[in-house]
Amino acid sequence: MKLFVSIFFLAFGLTTLANPWYQRFDFGGDARHRATAFSIGTEGYIGLGHINSGVDVEYEDFWKYDPATNAWSQIANYPEGKCFHATGFVIGLKAYVGTGRLENGTYSNHFYEYDPLTNTWTPKADLPGVPRRGAVSFSIGGKGYCGTGQTTSGYSTDFYEYNPLTDQWIARANFPGIARTSAVAFSIGDFGYLGTGDSNSGSTNDFFQYNPAANQWIAKASVGPVTRQEACGFAVNGKGYIGTGDDYSSGNNYSDFWEYNPTTETWIQIDDFAGTARRYLVGLTIGNRAYVGTGTNGTNFKDFWMFDRNLSLLEQKIENLEFSIFPNPCSNYCIFDFKNKLSEEELATLNIRLTSLDGKEIFQKYVSSNSTKVDTELIKSGIYLYSIESDHYPIKTGQLIIAN
């Protein structure tokens, strides 16, 4: 007797088409928080971090995300070993990762350069000052900037500039706000921005702009009405974004997100993060889209989300596909049933691709109707991966079991 199972894939986030959050494949490594994220060219990277629910487990692995295939692959491990609460920035086509807390409990001021072409890490000059964790960093004009964080003697405000051509750091103007750790930093154009975080007085929502040409910090509008630490931030399409985090360590976790316009120097609240409220969510930017993932609210997460405020209505509807596959497992055929009742224009952008678990393509078929039949009688029994693609970009993926 055949087993008929119907699997439903629901739209994520709010029902409005304006929602900018779209779930992607889960992060390739274990669930974790206090991870480190960056992007080089057209690919994103997440690694390091830890879990501390009962037993403390640190990580040294790093993973690469390819948005074109919505897939993760593991790269070379971090050379200093297991580490969490490190920071990283990118200059050109290389990343620079450093600081953090090591497995033996000590803090680090070491930095390493990652070259994706050779998949190798190379030691670079140590960050000046006291070893630390929870620092933040950004890059502007071919140079990197790193500072703040927690040291063995408390929180810090010192800031440094890195020149990759000389492999040297120099001290820059101290951050003018209260000393802190677990802040958020990013760059927009010729300026860096730093805000929120954990201080000796509790969480904060202040926000500052750094001008490297003048070596000057300037206070800007605060980030929303509540204080937060351990938040997520990124810059994309000329605007900055800060959200999630909590009001104090292991306190009330947030899901709200705020958008900063550097032209008007104002913040507006946008759609909440569509995943579970959490702290230590990490973010990165690839092209005109941002991606966020991992984090914790007591439970560690590995879900991964794309953020795009500029998708067309057609693209948004396709990103929020709702459909079922039946039967699954199947023998002679299965049907992809699209619940959104897509128009001919929308259907024309979609195709279904089936691959084996080792990556070999079995077949592909363009979607012809809202109830598209896929013949499987000539395919041998096994577990296969399907992908529903829009203009060859995978938007929904999953498993199909064939039992002939």
Side-chain angles (χ1 to χ4, degrees):
M1 182 178 67
K2 296 179 181 178
L3 178 63
F4 288 79
V5 179
S6 189
I7 303 177
F8 290 88
F9 299 82
L10 302 178
F12 295 96
L14 304 178
T15 56
T16 173
L17 289 176
N19 189 279
W21 300 100
Y22 305 92
Q23 193 163 10
R24 308 283 84 176
F25 258 10
D26 284 354
F27 167 62
D30 294 341
R32 67 192 67 186
H33 66 284
R34 290 193 177 105
T36 301
F38 56 84
S39 63
I40 303 175
T42 60
E43 295 169 318
Y45 299 80
I46 296 179
L48 307 183
H50 76 144
I51 59 174
N52 57 354
S53 300
V55 178
D56 196 16
V57 178
E58 293 87 12
Y59 294 96
E60 60 186 340
D61 56 336
F62 254 97
W63 296 76
K64 176 176 69 177
Y65 176 73
D66 183 354
T69 59
N70 188 28
W72 292 89
S73 58
Q74 191 168 1
I75 65 169
N77 284 351
Y78 189 59
E80 196 165 13
K82 297 177 179 180
C83 179
F84 66 88
H85 227 183
T87 189
F89 55 87
V90 172
I91 300 174
L93 295 178
K94 295 180 180 179
Y96 299 85
V97 176
T99 70
R101 178 182 164 179
L102 305 178
E103 186 178 21
N104 62 10
T106 63
Y107 293 170
S108 174
N109 64 346
H110 301 324
F111 258 84
Y112 299 86
E113 175 191 83
Y114 178 71
D115 185 344
L117 296 180
T118 58
N119 188 30
T120 55
W121 295 90
T122 303
K124 292 297 177 178
D126 291 348
L127 180 76
V130 181
R132 67 196 67 202
R133 67 181 178 102
V136 294
S137 58
F138 50 79
S139 59
I140 302 171
K143 295 181 179 179
Y145 298 85
C146 180
T148 68
Q150 180 179 354
T151 72
T152 55
S153 58
Y155 300 150
S156 58
T157 61
D158 52 339
F159 232 82
Y160 302 91
E161 176 187 274
Y162 177 72
N163 186 336
L165 299 180
T166 61
D167 187 29
Q168 292 181 328
W169 294 89
I170 60 172
R172 304 298 278 172
N174 282 1
F175 174 66
I178 191 170
R180 68 193 61 195
T181 187
S182 301
V184 168
F186 48 74
S187 60
I188 303 174
D190 295 329
F191 301 99
Y193 295 88
L194 193 159
T196 70
D198 177 25
S199 73
N200 288 324
S201 301
S203 57
T204 65
N205 65 342
D206 55 356
F207 189 67
F208 292 81
Q209 178 195 75
Y210 177 69
N211 180 350
N215 189 28
Q216 182 181 30
W217 293 91
I218 302 174
K220 298 295 181 179
S222 295
V223 185
V226 300
T227 62
R228 74 185 70 219
Q229 61 188 60
E230 302 160 358
C232 174
F234 52 81
V236 64
N237 296 323
K239 294 182 179 179
Y241 296 86
I242 292 180
T244 64
D246 56 352
D247 51 355
Y248 60 93
S249 188
S250 302
N252 298 306
N253 292 279
Y254 299 136
S255 61
D256 59 326
F257 247 89
W258 296 78
E259 177 187 86
Y260 179 72
N261 186 329
T263 302
T264 60
E265 300 184 3
T266 57
W267 293 90
I268 60 170
Q269 188 171 5
I270 62 171
D271 300 80
D272 286 357
F273 170 56
T276 305
R278 69 191 69 178
R279 55 194 181 272
Y280 294 120
L281 183 74
V282 296
L284 57 94
T285 300
I286 304 173
N288 60 1
R289 290 173 169 175
Y291 297 82
V292 300
T294 68
T296 184
N297 65 357
T299 298
N300 288 276
F301 297 101
K302 61 182 295 181
D303 52 340
F304 191 65
W305 299 77
M306 181 182 78
F307 174 87
D308 192 334
R309 294 265 283 166
N310 298 316
L311 287 178
S312 69
L313 294 180
L314 170 60
E315 289 172 319
Q316 290 179 42
K317 187 173 183 180
I318 290 173
E319 288 282 355
N320 283 314
L321 277 179
E322 179 185 347
F323 65 97
S324 62
I325 304 174
F326 63 89
N328 189 10
C330 66
S331 56
N332 297 329
Y333 71 92
C334 66
I335 293 175
F336 284 72
D337 188 31
F338 295 93
K339 307 300 181 181
N340 305 67
K341 301 305 176 186
L342 302 176
S343 67
E344 290 185 4
E345 177 190 12
E346 293 161 347
L347 289 169
T349 69
L350 300 179
N351 69 288
I352 299 169
R353 188 185 305 272
L354 190 67
T355 59
S356 61
L357 294 181
D358 60 1
K360 296 180 180 178
E361 181 176 310
I362 304 302
F363 77 88
Q364 66 170 319
K365 178 176 182 176
Y366 285 95
V367 174
S368 56
S369 70
N370 282 292
S371 186
T372 296
K373 182 180 178 181
V374 173
D375 293 319
T376 58
E377 60 182 337
L378 298 180
I379 302 175
K380 68 179 182 180
S381 298
I383 300 175
Y384 296 87
L385 301 177
Y386 71 80
S387 175
I388 298 178
E389 302 175 349
S390 176
D391 293 328
H392 304 289
Y393 180 86
I395 55 176
K396 300 292 178 183
T397 54
Q399 288 188 351
L400 177 66
I401 301 173
I402 298 177
N404 284 324

